[in-house]
Amino acid sequence: MTVIPHRANLLQDRNQLHQFLLNCQQSLTEKDRTKIVSISQEIYPLDPLAVLQEISEPCQRHFYFEKREPIAGKSFAIAALDSAIHLTVAGTDRFVAAQNFIRSTVANTITIGAERLPFSGPHFFCSFAFFDENIAANSYFPPATIFLPKWQITRQKDSCILVANAIIEKDRNVKNIAENIWQTFDKIESRKYHKLTTAIDSSISLKQIPVNDASQFKTSVKSALELIASKYFSKIVLSQAINVISQTPFSLIDSLNNLRLSYPDCYVFSTSNGKGQNFIGASPERLISIHNNQLLTDALAGSAPRGKTEAGDAKLAQGLLESEKDIREHQVVIDFIVDRLSKLGITPKFSPVPRLLQLSNIQHLWTPITAQIPPDIHLLKILAQLHPTPAVAGVPRDIALEQIRRRESCDRSLYAAPLGWIDRTGNGEFAVGIRSALIDGDRAILYAGAGIVAGSEPEKELAEIQLKLQALLNALV
C-alpha cells in the first residue's frame, strides 16, 4: 500500500482531484493495470445512519455497524455504502480466502488524506454465514462476503471521517471518476439530514407465523437432553425462527434507529446483499475486537429475564449468578475460547468470576477475555478458530453442528455468525449476529436461540427464545 502525504480538501477541489487521479492512472503499467485509490477527509459531524438513509440504494451493498460505549469513550458508528471491489466465497477456506483478498487489495491501494485519524483509509466489511456452505437453495447471503465500499462515513465522538475508494484502470475515463466522487462528496456533506433521535412506534399489526411451532421445539429440546444424558454431546444451541408479515414494507432505517435507542449496550448492525434483502440486529455479543494488537472477546452464555421491580430484578440477577446450570454453560464457552486462543500461541486473561451484562429485557453471564496478539497473527485467523463458539453452536462443536443441521428447519444464514470490519493494518471488530432478522420488503424472518445443557427445561428454553425474539418484534416498523 502506498501512502501519500495529506492534501487538504482534495475531495472538494474538482481540478486537484482530477489531476491526482490522472497522475495515479499515468503511473499504471501494462503489468500493473489497476490501482485502488482511498481518499480520507475529516468533515463536519454527521449521523452515519442518516447518511445511509439518504444515499444508499436497494441495489447496492451496504454495511452499518454501531456500538455505544459512552463510559469507555469508545462509541462509534460506521456506514459503508456501495461496493468498489468485493469477494464472495464458500468452503472451509473462506476465512483464508478473505484474508488473502484483503491483503492483496491493500497492497494495491494508494491512500491519501487524513490517514492518521481513527477510521481513515480503506476498511473491509465482512459477513460470514453460520455454515461454510449454503444448503438451502434460497439462501439470501453467501457463506462469506467481503467488500471495500465506495464510501465510508464514521463518527466517533465529535469527529467524523469520510473515506472514498475508487478503482483506477488504464482504459477508464478518470475525469468521469473524479466528477462522480466530487458530486457524491458534495451530496453527503451539504445535504440537510433528518435527525434520527426519537423512536418510531409501530402502528401496524404484524402477522406472525412460526417456522416450527412450540411443540416441535420442545420435542427437539427433549430429544437433545436425551442425547446429552447419553454423553453423545454436552451442549447444543437450538434456534427458533418466526416469519413476520407487515401490512406495509418494513423501514430499515427506522427499525435500526429503534434498535440503537432501545439497546444502547448492543452492537446494532445491518448488511445488504445488494438485491433488496437486509440482515439487521442488536447483538450483545462481541466475537472479537483487535486494536493495536490488543484482543478482546466475550464469553456470553447463561441468561435470565429482567425483573419488573428493583427487588425482583436483583433476585433474578443473583439467581443467575448462583445457577449451577448457567455457570456450567458459561464455563464451557470460556474453556473453548481459552483453548482455541492457546492453540494459536495466544495467552488469554480473564476474571474467574463472571459478571452480569444487563440489557433492557434480559441479562447474561459475561466474562470479557483479553490477550496480547503477535503482529503476525491476522484477525481472520483467530476468527476462523473461534467461530462458532459453544455460545451459538455446542460441544463438541462438530457433533453439535451436524445436529443443528438435522434439527433446525430454517436456514441460519447470517444468524449467529460473524459480522464486522477490518482495516488496512489488521485492526477490526466483529459481533455475533444474534437477536437478528432478515428483512425482505414486507416480510421478515426473526431468529433467536437457547443453549441446551443438562438441567435445561423445554418450557424455560422456549420462554427465553420468545423473550429474545421480542426485542426485534418491538423494534420493527
Side-chain angles (χ1 to χ4, degrees), residues 377-450:
I377 299 183
H378 195 272
L379 183 153
L380 288 177
K381 186 174 184 179
I382 303 172
L383 195 66
Q385 288 293 314
L386 293 182
H387 173 73
T389 72
V392 293
V395 180
R397 186 161 72 174
D398 289 346
I399 294 176
L401 292 177
E402 183 269 330
Q403 289 290 315
I404 288 170
R405 285 270 201 200
R406 177 182 298 179
R407 294 172 183 277
E408 292 185 356
S409 56
C410 187
D411 177 25
R412 283 200 175 193
S413 187
L414 299 184
Y415 167 68
L419 303 102
W421 58 269
I422 301 171
D423 72 10
R424 65 190 188 275
T425 62
N427 295 320
E429 194 152 359
F430 281 76
V432 183
I434 54 176
R435 320 292 153 81
S436 48
L438 174 72
I439 297 179
D440 185 9
D442 60 356
R443 296 172 178 268
I445 304 174
L446 278 58
Y447 303 86

Side-chain angles (χ1 to χ4, degrees), residues 88-366:
T88 59
V89 65
T92 55
D93 292 334
R94 57 183 173 153
F95 292 103
V96 174
Q99 183 178 337
N100 291 337
F101 171 75
I102 292 172
R103 182 185 292 114
S104 63
T105 303
V106 169
N108 199 38
T109 298
I110 299 169
T111 68
I112 185 172
E115 73 275 0
R116 288 186 175 86
L117 290 177
F119 293 100
S120 65
H123 285 59
F124 298 84
F125 296 85
C126 313
S127 57
F128 297 95
F130 187 82
F131 291 105
D132 55 30
E133 297 280 0
N134 283 339
I135 301 298
N138 61 343
S139 293
Y140 291 110
F141 289 87
T145 301
I146 305 94
F147 76 99
L148 176 71
K150 288 184 178 179
W151 292 93
Q152 173 198 321
I153 180 168
T154 309
R155 180 163 183 171
Q156 189 176 37
K157 296 183 181 178
D158 292 326
S159 173
C160 201
I161 188 86
L162 185 67
V163 181
N165 300 303
I167 306 293
I168 306 298
E169 297 173 315
K170 284 185 71 69
D171 55 355
R172 290 188 68 184
N173 189 319
V174 168
K175 187 173 183 179
N176 289 344
I177 297 173
E179 188 68 17
N180 287 336
I181 291 174
W182 188 88
Q183 289 180 3
T184 305
F185 175 80
D186 184 63
K187 185 191 299 184
I188 291 173
E189 192 183 40
S190 63
R191 184 166 294 189
K192 293 186 182 299
Y193 295 96
H194 175 64
K195 288 188 177 181
L196 304 170
T197 55
T198 57
I200 305 296
D201 290 328
S202 175
S203 59
I204 56 175
S205 61
L206 300 177
K207 182 180 180 181
Q208 300 179 35
I209 307 171
V211 174
N212 56 327
D213 61 29
S215 62
Q216 286 178 305
F217 178 79
K218 288 188 283 188
T219 298
S220 292
V221 173
K222 290 176 183 176
S223 175
L225 288 170
E226 291 173 0
L227 291 173
I228 289 171
S230 69
K231 309 297 183 184
Y232 186 61
F233 53 80
S234 59
K235 177 182 178 178
I236 187 170
V237 177
L238 295 177
S239 70
Q240 178 88 329
I242 58 171
N243 289 310
V244 177
I245 302 174
S246 171
Q247 297 171 344
T248 58
F250 289 106
S251 169
L252 172 70
I253 301 300
D254 288 336
S255 297
L256 287 171
N257 189 49
N258 282 349
L259 286 173
R260 70 177 181 174
L261 293 174
S262 300
Y263 305 99
D265 296 319
C266 292
Y267 289 95
V268 173
F269 59 83
S270 171
T271 187
S272 166
N273 60 6
K275 300 176 183 177
Q277 289 83 33
N278 303 284
F279 187 77
I280 76 168
S283 173
E285 187 172 354
R286 176 194 292 110
L287 183 55
I288 186 172
S289 169
I290 294 180
H291 294 277
N292 299 321
N293 297 322
Q294 292 292 324
L295 176 145
L296 178 60
T297 183
D298 291 339
L300 197 73
S303 308
R306 298 299 303 269
K308 295 181 179 180
T309 65
E310 187 173 336
D313 193 47
K315 184 177 180 180
L316 286 167
Q318 193 61 34
L320 180 59
L321 289 169
E322 295 174 353
S323 167
E324 186 274 335
K325 174 255 183 188
D326 287 291
I327 291 173
R328 179 162 35 86
E329 181 182 352
H330 186 75
Q331 189 62 46
V332 165
V333 179
I334 295 174
D335 292 344
F336 172 87
I337 293 173
V338 169
D339 177 67
R340 290 285 165 159
L341 294 178
S342 299
K343 286 179 178 177
L344 292 173
I346 299 169
T347 304
K349 297 179 181 179
F350 59 95
S351 169
V353 180
R355 297 152 61 178
L356 285 177
L357 180 63
Q358 295 182 307
L359 308 177
S360 59
N361 66 332
I362 196 169
Q363 49 194 331
H364 303 282
L365 293 178
W366 173 44

Side-chain angles (χ1 to χ4, degrees), residues 24-82:
C24 291
Q25 186 182 53
Q26 290 172 347
S27 71
L28 297 175
T29 64
E30 286 300 319
K31 183 180 178 181
D32 190 11
R33 297 178 60 86
T34 303
K35 281 286 183 185
I36 299 166
V37 173
S38 183
I39 308 168
S40 301
Q41 186 163 315
E42 190 171 17
I43 63 171
Y44 183 81
L46 299 171
D47 180 356
L49 186 59
V51 178
L52 179 67
Q53 181 181 41
E54 293 290 333
I55 305 298
S56 184
E57 299 289 341
C59 61
Q60 299 171 345
R61 281 190 173 87
H62 80 249
F63 201 104
Y64 185 79
F65 204 65
E66 178 170 353
K67 184 67 169 15
R68 299 186 179 188
E69 296 183 80
I71 297 177
K74 296 179 181 180
S75 301
F76 68 89
I78 309 176
L81 313 171
D82 207 355

